Amino acid sequence: MLVDIVEEIDLQGALKCLGTGSTGGIDIFVGTVRDNANGKKVSRLEFEAYVPMALKEMRAIAARASKIWQLEEVVIQHVVGIRMVGEPVVLTAASAPHRDAAFEACRFLIDELKKTVPIWKKEYYDDGSIWVNAHP
Amino acid sequence: MKILLFGITKDIIGSSQLDLDLPADVNTVGGLKDLLKVRYAGLSALRSLAVAVDNEYAEDGQALSPSAEVALIPPVSGG
């Protein structure tokens, strides 16, 4: 398991961890900064994390995935700070002997991260910024 | 009691940390949330507000201990 809050998404580091001898398939998801949200142009995102709790939650999610699927390795990375359009902000990945588990686990990891990990994203537009999802 | 603040709760309360003198009759997570919502009305307008105690989500009924690390968790938006 490789779980980290990072300065930069490290794809090579992730691949090194994921590619074990028994691995037949690796599935990697990378979330990036999109240039629009709610009909407005987004210039950048800013991420803040409650780091010790975020790491704890990320490890717990990785552990749950490993219980549900037969996995070789799990990687979760998330950045903090400002990221511009097109830049990667999160990486979730799973490796397994066969690809079904890798595909399903990878999806699970990002879906669960978005639900519970204490990380917050601020969207910046031309005319201001908002904390995403803060208000109904 | 020291409360760590994140995301929009930092904007609402005006600091990254709140030092609170806990009234004697506030001794649960739920009681703390109610107190804070009265003092900082903006907290009630949020989609949700959770409290973490020692890096874990805490239920309203959980008792507060003076030595615990407490944090306000507004709606998360990672990933």
Side-chain angles (χ1 to χ4, degrees), chain A residues 1 13-28 69-75 93-103 105:
Chain A
M1 174 189 302
L15 282 170
K16 255 201 173 118
C17 172
L18 293 156
T20 70
S22 304
T23 291
I26 297 172
D27 196 43
I28 301 178
W69 292 280
Q70 175 96 316
L71 302 174
E72 283 296 304
E73 272 298 345
V74 172
V75 175
S95 59
H98 302 282
R99 68 184 182 284
D100 282 351
F103 272 120

Side-chain angles (χ1 to χ4, degrees), chain A residues 48-50 52-53 56-57 78 90 113-121 131-136, chain B residues 4-8 10-11 45-47 52 54-57 69 71 73-79:
Chain A
E48 183 183 346
Y50 181 15
M53 186 180 172
K56 198 170 182 176
E57 276 296 310
H78 202 296
V90 61
L113 183 152
K114 288 171 86 68
K115 284 186 210 161
T116 67
V117 174
I119 295 175
W120 298 271
K121 146 192 336 170
W131 288 102
V132 170
N133 204 34
H135 293 105
Chain B
L4 303 177
L5 304 172
F6 294 96
I8 199 170
K10 273 188 346 214
D11 297 348
L46 297 178
R47 183 187 295 271
D54 292 332
N55 296 312
E56 289 195 4
Y57 286 104
E69 176 167 299
I73 311 290
V76 301
S77 50

Side-chain angles (χ1 to χ4, degrees), chain B residues 11-61:
Chain B
D11 297 348
I12 292 169
I13 295 176
S15 167
S16 62
Q17 186 177 300
L18 182 60
D19 286 299
L20 192 68
D21 277 323
L22 216 56
D25 61 343
V26 175
N27 39 39
T28 64
V29 164
L32 175 65
K33 282 203 303 199
D34 290 342
L35 173 72
L36 291 175
K37 283 178 178 180
V38 164
R39 289 204 191 166
Y40 303 99
L43 295 178
S44 296
L46 297 178
R47 183 187 295 271
S48 64
L49 184 66
V51 171
V53 173
D54 292 332
N55 296 312
E56 289 195 4
Y57 286 104
E59 301 281 318
D60 282 358

